[in-house]
Amino acid sequence: MTTFLFVTLASFLFALLLFGIGQQTFKRMTWFASLLPISLFIYFSTFAKGVMNGEIFNFFTSWVPSLGINLDFRLDNLALLFTLLITGIGSIVFLYTSQYLKGHPKLMRFYVFLSVFMGAMIGLVTSNNILTLFIFWELTSISSFFLISFNNTEKASRKSAIIALTITGLGGLALLAFGVLAGQMTGTYSISEMLQSPEAFASHEYTGYLLLFLFLATFTKSAQFPFHFWLPGAMKAPTPVSTYLHSATMVKAGIYLLLRFTPHFEANPQYFNIMLIVGGVTMLYAAINTLFKTDLKGILAYSTIGALGIIVFLIGIGTSASITAAIVFIVVHALYKASLFLVTGTIDHQAGTRDITQLAGLRKVLLPLSIAGIIAALSSGGFPPTVGFLGKDLIYEATLHGSISPALLTTLAVITNIFMVFAGLLVGVKPFTGKLPEALGPIKKPHFILWFMPMILAALSLLFGLFPSMVQSLFTNNITPLLTGENSPHLAIWHGFNLILLLSGITLVFGLGLYFLWKPSHQKEGAIAKIEGYAPKAIALQFANLFQKTSYFLTRTFQNGYLRRYVMIILVLLTIVFGIHIFINPRIFLSLTEIKSLNWNEIVVLLMMLISILFTVFTKSRLTAIAGMGVLGYTMCLIFIFYGAPDLAMTQFSIDTLTVILFVLVLYRLPKYLNLSNKTNRIRDAIVATSFGTFLAFTIIEIMNENPVKGVTQYYAENAYTLAKGKNVVNVILVDFRGFDTMIEVAVLAIAAIGVFGLLKLYLKKHEK
């Protein structure tokens, strides 16, 4: 397992390599990009035998040990299932893209984003550190943003990408909160070690917050109601992106996390009840929506949401049979949904449309593609002998043996599956049956890659259906015991005549009836669109618009371009803070009696300061005001000298001298009789300044009467000489303990000086001409 980290990061290295070979060279060797997922699929397949025998492969190296963040990767049964899906379907998608986007000027960029996304997904499902998992989680959101907005000249693509990033990004923040809170509760950020503290997830006082953060993260990522609306919008991406993100990768990330933490919450019924409710609502809502869509990708989008809802629903039942059904359905959905997406992409590529009302009879010109589409549609509907039939039977077995209202759960599952049968037939069968419309014009035969890739996935749906023992030996026999501690139910295509078979028959009959009787139309789609004005998407967009308007208002109010306004806002806010603190702690006024007596030197300096302030405020001469400010600065230098800080006095003296000179130069260029303020502004500024100064003085007096010896102060006092060999603590802090801060500040000043020099030089050249 020594090469595991390198393989996990290979996608990112490969992305850099693609950038390096050049656009023109890449056009002649697009097949080169497919080597990455194929190699990774072969690599992870080599672990299948060991994982099936109960082995767990680990890679660990410290990253930020002080924070508990490590590069900790773990390949077990559950991780292997997802890595095989990610790399296997990734190989199909990479090869398909080479022809689907052939000649596209941004094809190399597309492969780069896809490679980064695949690497992030592999890192996500193999991470054994919750904070490292969060990093990969967010990287999937960012890379999917670039993939969804690939056609960035289209406004709809950009908007869809922003919505997807916003929803999944907010979920990512929730995941970070979940990870930090779980780490604090269990004392570790290692996911496998968290399992050793199940009581923390069952009865801790913060368990409710833990569930909230986990569900926000997973439900947003896996498009559960009411966060589902980003997924249909993401269909603006090229079809290979939709295939990859919505069948095997991004939307399955939330499912993976729910499965991964199922053992941690096995003693918490709320964990399962919430998933049962949300999954049930999501699957039924999405399945019904498939009736009204006319775009093939729109139908697939809502059927994807429905399938994700079914998986969450099954996990929520919480039994060994339901977990097995969820695992099998993950494989079933990945195979048939990826195949249907690729079929849709080829139809769009050859016929130039995805409108279901305009498509028919394509079997005459796209016969191999029609075979793949029909097989995938049969698997989607659960027809024997596809693996979809096996998956549907397992769903009914799980609901019938659920601990909560089996009749209700089974009824919801049957209704949802009827609509899923309809959706699958509509996408995989409808475009190929009937008479070929003349409006489509001549349709060329596609490159064999465009029909062979979906055919592979369709063939696997048949193979796994005919030989369910393959699914059982590869996945369920190992994953179900890992998650539930119980053995997986036996998988078989035939269990005899029983209630489950009857329910399957009812599902297929009603699904076929719905397919033949219900005809989607733009009129029906428009009618349902009016109702969707009250849907979560519309509410979210209204909130976004309100947020934008509020931001504009605050910006116009507080960031209006005038420095005076900025300073006033800062001083008013600080005055409010200091004022609240003072009135909450009236003992501060008692501190006035503890002020030490002043000597004559200090009294004279204070009188000089007061006189200079009065001159500055009330004089009508700009030069007099500048002189008053200079005197005020120099009196501050005297106070520093009185209290034994000559270095600060020298710094203050230099700064004040430079400030006075600069003010004179600037104000000299202003018109002589320009009035920069009025009486009202001066009264307002006087009130603000006096209030701020008064409250600040009280706060300083309070600080002076507190114990001045703090931990930081004591540390610097004890170590300034022993570690930094300096007797002036302030200087040591600046040049040693905070040396990088000082270096950066000096660099900023140097850059500013260079900028000023350049402007002066330009100014002098202009006037010389």
Side-chain angles (χ1 to χ4, degrees):
M1 204 58 180
T2 56
T3 60
F4 186 72
L5 178 61
F6 174 78
V7 172
T8 304
L9 301 178
S11 298
F12 305 106
L13 300 174
F14 192 78
L16 294 175
L17 177 61
L18 289 179
F19 266 125
I21 65 176
Q23 181 74 27
Q24 295 302 320
T25 304
F26 183 76
K27 285 182 179 180
R28 297 190 297 268
M29 47 187 301
T30 53
W31 55 268
F32 177 72
S34 304
L35 293 178
L36 173 66
I38 294 173
S39 301
L40 291 177
F41 179 74
I42 295 172
Y43 173 78
F44 283 110
S45 297
T46 61
F47 294 101
K49 184 177 180 180
V51 170
M52 289 167 59
N53 291 329
E55 292 186 59
I56 296 177
F57 300 91
N58 295 283
F59 177 89
F60 178 89
T61 186
S62 297
W63 186 11
V64 190
S66 59
L67 298 178
I69 305 175
N70 303 301
L71 293 176
D72 186 2
F73 297 95
R74 178 184 176 93
L75 188 67
D76 59 8
N77 304 301
L78 184 62
L80 180 65
L81 165 64
F82 283 90
T83 52
L84 291 179
L85 288 178
I86 292 164
T87 55
I89 294 183
S91 302
I92 300 290
V93 170
F94 271 68
L95 288 168
Y96 182 87
T97 302
S98 64
Q99 290 301 318
Y100 184 83
L101 293 178
K102 185 177 181 180
H104 196 288
K106 298 178 181 178
L107 180 58
M108 183 177 71
R109 180 187 299 180
F110 181 86
Y111 273 124
V112 168
F113 293 150
L114 207 58
S115 299
V116 172
F117 178 81
M118 182 172 63
M121 278 301 306
I122 294 173
L124 190 156
V125 300
T126 57
S127 290
N128 192 37
N129 185 283
I130 190 64
L131 298 182
T132 310
L133 185 147
F134 160 75
I135 294 172
F136 287 112
W137 182 282
E138 288 296 83
L139 191 55
T140 61
S141 296
I142 295 170
S143 53
S144 66
F145 167 80
F146 289 111
L147 288 169
I148 295 170
S149 63
F150 181 68
N151 298 319
N152 51 31
T153 56
E154 299 178 7
K155 182 179 179 181
S157 295
R158 299 195 301 271
K159 183 177 180 180
S160 297
I162 291 173
I163 291 175
L165 180 64
T166 302
I167 298 300
T168 57
L170 289 174
L173 294 178
L175 176 62
L176 177 61
F178 168 80
V180 173
L181 184 58
Q184 294 299 312
M185 290 167 57
T186 59
T188 178
Y189 292 117
S190 171
I191 298 175
S192 58
E193 292 179 7
M194 286 180 181
L195 192 56
Q196 307 303 317
S197 305
E199 66 281 354
F201 296 93
S203 59
H204 196 278
E205 59 179 324
Y206 295 125
T207 300
Y209 295 104
L210 206 63
L211 287 174
L212 173 65
F213 294 139
L214 177 63
F215 287 140
L216 277 177
T218 54
F219 291 168
T220 53
K221 200 75 162 182
S222 291
Q224 297 299 291
F225 186 91
F227 307 107
H228 65 281
F229 55 85
W230 70 265
L231 193 147
M235 295 299 162
K236 298 296 181 183
T239 300
V241 174
S242 303
T243 304
Y244 199 39
L245 269 64
H246 305 145
S247 65
T249 51
M250 183 173 175
V251 294
K252 296 289 176 63
I255 300 297
Y256 164 79
L257 200 62
L258 289 174
L259 287 171
R260 177 60 74 188
F261 277 92
T262 291
H264 297 67
F265 289 99
E266 61 182 356
N268 191 323
Q270 293 180 349
Y271 175 76
F272 298 98
N273 292 337
I274 293 173
M275 283 192 291
L276 196 61
I277 296 171
V278 173
V281 171
T282 301
M283 70 183 191
L284 194 59
Y285 172 86
I288 294 173
N289 266 273
T290 59
L291 294 173
F292 303 97
K293 302 303 173 183
T294 57
D295 185 344
L296 290 177
K297 288 181 70 173
I299 298 169
L300 289 174
Y302 277 96
S303 67
T304 297
I305 297 172
L308 295 170
I310 290 173
I311 298 173
V312 173
F313 177 77
L314 290 171
I315 300 173
I317 295 175
T319 63
S320 175
S322 69
I323 295 298
T324 300
I327 296 165
V328 172
F329 196 73
I330 288 171
V331 178
V332 171
H333 176 256
L335 293 176
Y336 80 71
K337 189 54 62 69
S339 182
L340 289 177
F341 265 119
L342 296 182
V343 168
T344 298
T346 304
I347 292 174
D348 189 22
H349 189 270
Q350 300 304 121
T353 181
R354 300 194 305 263
D355 191 338
I356 194 64
T357 62
Q358 300 177 16
L359 293 170
L362 291 178
R363 71 187 185 284
K364 298 178 181 179
V365 288
L366 302 174
L367 181 60
L369 186 70
S370 67
I371 296 173
I374 291 171
I375 295 174
L378 294 178
S379 183
S380 172
F383 287 83
T386 64
V387 71
F389 177 75
L390 179 67
K392 182 164 64 2
D393 278 8
L394 287 171
I395 293 174
Y396 294 151
E397 183 178 350
T399 56
L400 287 171
H401 295 90
S403 58
I404 302 176
S405 185
L408 176 61
L409 299 184
T410 304
T411 302
L412 290 175
V414 169
I415 295 173
T416 301
N417 278 325
I418 289 172
F419 292 121
M420 298 294 278
V421 172
F422 165 80
L425 294 175
L426 198 64
V427 176
V429 177
K430 171 67 170 59
F432 302 105
T433 57
K435 183 180 179 181
L436 186 66
E438 294 181 1
L440 291 179
I443 299 176
K444 297 181 179 179
K445 291 186 178 181
H447 190 280
F448 88 96
I449 287 290
L450 296 181
W451 62 260
F452 186 66
M453 294 299 107
M455 183 66 79
I456 293 176
L457 296 168
L460 287 174
S461 294
L462 269 178
L463 180 65
F464 286 154
L466 293 171
F467 301 99
S469 58
M470 296 177 64
V471 178
Q472 182 159 359
S473 59
L474 279 172
F475 306 119
T476 61
N477 274 352
N478 305 300
I479 300 177
T480 302
L482 175 71
L483 300 180
T484 66
E486 300 177 13
N487 292 328
S488 165
H490 177 67
L491 303 186
I493 199 72
W494 177 253
H495 288 283
F497 294 98
N498 52 24
L499 180 58
I500 293 175
L501 183 63
L502 176 62
L503 293 173
S504 295
I506 293 173
T507 302
L508 297 180
V509 170
F510 277 88
L512 284 168
L514 188 62
Y515 169 71
F516 287 112
L517 296 175
W518 180 271
K519 303 299 178 186
S521 66
H522 295 288
Q523 184 178 3
K524 295 174 181 176
E525 188 173 21
I528 197 66
K530 295 179 181 179
I531 301 176
E532 288 182 348
Y534 303 96
K537 180 180 180 180
I539 297 173
L541 291 178
Q542 290 176 4
F543 176 79
N545 291 332
L546 177 63
F547 183 83
Q548 188 178 38
K549 291 178 181 179
T550 305
S551 300
Y552 284 151
F553 170 76
L554 294 175
T555 302
R556 289 193 301 269
T557 304
F558 297 108
Q559 300 288 328
N560 63 347
Y562 291 96
L563 181 60
R564 173 190 291 177
R565 174 69 66 87
Y566 299 161
V567 174
M568 185 180 68
I569 291 172
I570 294 172
L571 293 183
V572 168
L573 178 62
L574 291 175
T575 301
I576 294 173
V577 173
F578 290 146
I580 292 174
H581 176 70
I582 289 172
F583 286 111
I584 290 177
N585 301 277
R587 64 184 182 84
I588 295 175
F589 295 100
L590 301 176
S591 302
L592 295 174
T593 58
E594 301 179 14
I595 299 177
K596 296 180 180 179
S597 59
L598 301 176
N599 56 41
W600 284 105
N601 295 335
E602 294 169 341
I603 294 174
V604 170
V605 171
L606 289 176
L607 289 174
M608 292 175 61
M609 293 177 68
L610 181 62
I611 294 171
S612 64
I613 290 171
L614 294 176
F615 263 100
T616 302
V617 172
F618 293 105
T619 184
K620 295 183 179 180
S621 169
R622 295 173 186 165
L623 291 179
T624 304
I626 294 171
M629 291 177 62
V631 172
L632 178 63
Y634 292 150
T635 54
M636 289 296 298
C637 296
L638 293 175
I639 290 178
F640 288 143
I641 292 174
F642 291 161
Y643 284 90
D647 50 347
L648 294 179
M650 289 297 297
T651 303
Q652 181 73 23
F653 179 80
S654 303
I655 294 298
D656 271 298
T657 302
L658 181 60
T659 303
V660 169
I661 295 173
L662 290 176
F663 266 116
V664 171
L665 292 174
V666 171
L667 297 182
Y668 177 76
R669 305 296 301 178
L670 292 177
K672 293 184 179 180
Y673 301 103
L674 179 64
N675 189 7
L676 298 176
S677 66
N678 53 41
K679 186 176 181 180
T680 303
N681 290 342
R682 290 185 179 183
I683 293 174
R684 179 200 64 196
D685 295 343
I687 294 173
V688 172
T690 304
S691 302
F692 174 73
T694 302
F695 288 147
L696 180 61
F698 280 123
T699 304
I700 292 174
I701 291 171
E702 180 189 16
I703 294 172
M704 291 174 62
N705 284 279
E706 294 288 336
N707 181 13
V709 180
K710 304 294 183 182
V712 175
T713 304
Q714 188 172 358
Y715 173 82
Y716 286 133
E718 293 175 353
N719 295 283
Y721 184 75
T722 57
L723 296 180
K725 312 303 179 185
K727 296 182 178 180
N728 189 312
V729 178
V730 175
N731 289 345
V732 169
I733 293 173
L734 291 175
V735 301
D736 198 302
F737 291 108
R738 295 182 55 190
F740 279 107
D741 289 350
T742 306
M743 182 182 69
I744 294 172
E745 291 169 1
V746 171
V748 171
L749 291 174
I751 294 170
I754 294 172
V756 172
F757 174 76
L759 292 173
L760 290 175
K761 190 175 181 181
L762 183 64
Y763 175 81
L764 294 175
K765 283 185 178 180
K766 182 178 179 181
H767 283 270
E768 285 177 0
K769 295 180 180 179

